[in-house]
Amino acid sequence: MAIKVNKEECIACGACLSVCPFSAIVMQDDKAYITEACTTCGACVDTCPVEAILRKEETKVVTMDKSLYKDVWVYLETSEGKLRNVGLELLGEGRKLADGMGQSLASVLIGHNIEGLAQEAFAAGADKVYVVDAAELAQYNTDGYTATLFDLITNYKPSVILMGATNDGRDFGARVACRVGTGLTADCTGLGIDEATGLVSWTRPAFGGNIMATIICPDHRPQMGTVRPSVFKKPILDYSRTGEVIHVPNKVKAEDMRTKLIEMIHVCTVSCNLEEAEIIVSGGRGLCKPENFSLVEDLANVLGASVGASRAAVDAGWKPALHQVGQTGKTVGPKIYFACGISGAIQHLAGMSSSDLVIAINKDPDAPIFKMADYGIVGDVMEVLPILTEEFKKIKSA
Amino acid sequence: MMEILVCIKQVPDTAEVKIDPVTNTLIRQGVPSIVNPFDKNALEAALQLKDKHGGKVTVISMGPPQAKDALKECLAMGADQALLISDRAFGGSDTLATSYTLAAAIRKIGTYDIIFCGKQAIDGDTAQVGPEIAEHLGIAQITYVAKIEVDGDTVSAEREYEEGYGIITAKLPLLISVVKSINEPRYPTIKATMKANRAEIPVWTMADLDVDEEKLGLKGSPTQVRRIFTPPQRTGGVIIQQSTARESVAVLLQSLSDAKII
């Protein structure tokens, strides 16, 4: 596909220049000119008042027999012998895609002593579970997991693979996609089926959450994407469902793994387990001083909530990066999200917009966080927080 | 003596991007182009290793000719040399085509002990180009690194996990992507900046690389952007602004109670 300007029609009005998200159009000799920054998103095509910009389909040499690839796969990430929530969330979404495409939903489990988790996958909607169980794979390892998933893809040829956009998912998802030579859409927040083509349409934020892009992978299989945790809800588990467990022997040897995990240091307690939290209390620059962060922690303690922080608060060194909520931090989707002294930059909103209920406290009535909030208190966060904590304490003990 | 490569990207400062409330499109005018912030952490990590172990730091970037400005900033920070990979044929590359092209350039450079990248770029936020470069080159990787030590041919790194940190070791050569907390990037001196501004930055085009043209640019990109749109603006909910904080809290709790939330 390519975007072309019909120079005879172009009236040099400049309308396309301002809509191009990638600054890929310049004026040359009074005509619009598409530069190499173009991603063929087509934003200019719709804007041109004289229809001088056209999207041209280019015929590609198809080297891949796409009909050999079928089924939707969900990679199930585990942590200490348990499934991460994101895998279950993706089974819910994967079920919809598989039904829409008239295909089966399979999931992939890699690890050691993990076969028991297959039941949970069936309950969440899977028809099949591929299990690769070996002592060598007990811990996540880039080389080991890349080789294993690549081998499964080569043998069983799925049409679609969904993975969680976790640190590990993004670490080996990219390597697998590269080894297969297919497309991988990062950090998606929306999934659907493109009506015209039957392809998966992957929607994701870009430019720090300022715009959304819908991506497709037309000519390569599998179509792969990583999906943000906490964006989709977990499906209701139905333990009467059953399915087929397919054991696949491990081919990875310990010496094939070039990195070694020596030690895990868990600094994370309840307070920073943001992805799985039901309630999160987050603090930002409005707290003015690092000491005041204790006001946020006090409220979190009373509510049994996790503690989040804005980028500003993390940058200022008030909280470690593990607590950061936002585009470059963690994405969260709790039942209740308290934003305390957070102005609500778009990058922060991108990380918490799937919260069910947002309560914001900020002294600036024009702060963008109030646009996102279901309830907003305009007031000094240092004054409001202690009262809120005290009141919740009373409610709890009542 | 270490040979260190750093991959950087010139990006629009997404914190400065605004949406036009009338047309609902990006306002890009006046948005400065910067070195991707995480890539500055990558460069700083490289410079610190050079300070400690000696060696050479080479910065490379793939992008349009104006990306030279970003490379000059890296030279001013202390990189020994910079290289721009630029050709119209690279236009429209997704992460697979970008990493293929960068890997071809790195192969031509030849020797390296460590390739540093930022964990992701703030415009695309994919975090994929680093691992894909490592895959094209067939070398190991450690991503999300918050601390690094090199002893002989062994690297020991602290990698960020959702729940904490893992200590990971590996042998050189290796690709490492870094998180922000790894360091505080240094500021260039005025003298270094003036010197960097005069530097001639070599540009490699498609003709300089051993590449398959079918794997470059739009043609070599499996993913395609179908549509770009601005997310729907939320209108906001109930705003509470009583005369005292205590009254505001009381109204909030009453509202939550009425809505059966508490």
Side-chain angles (χ1 to χ4, degrees), chain B residues 49-69:
Chain B
L49 282 185
K50 182 194 156 186
D51 291 346
K52 200 167 165 189
H53 302 277
K56 192 171 84 202
V57 174
T58 304
V59 195
I60 63 173
S61 188
M62 177 175 134
Q66 53 277 29
K68 279 184 183 173
D69 294 342

Side-chain angles (χ1 to χ4, degrees), chain A residues 21-22 205-211 327 346-347, chain B residues 12 14 17 26 28 122-125:
Chain A
F22 304 97
F207 282 103
N210 284 291
I211 56 170
Q327 182 74 7
I346 191 117
Q347 288 80 359
Chain B
T14 53
V17 175
L26 282 183
R28 292 195 54 136
I122 59 165
D123 56 347
D125 282 313

Side-chain angles (χ1 to χ4, degrees), chain A residues 65-84:
Chain A
D65 185 357
K66 290 180 280 186
S67 67
L68 294 174
Y69 291 78
K70 60 179 177 40
D71 288 359
V72 176
W73 282 14
V74 172
Y75 169 69
L76 296 175
E77 190 172 324
T78 59
S79 168
E80 305 188 332
K82 286 206 208 87
L83 290 182
R84 277 198 198 278

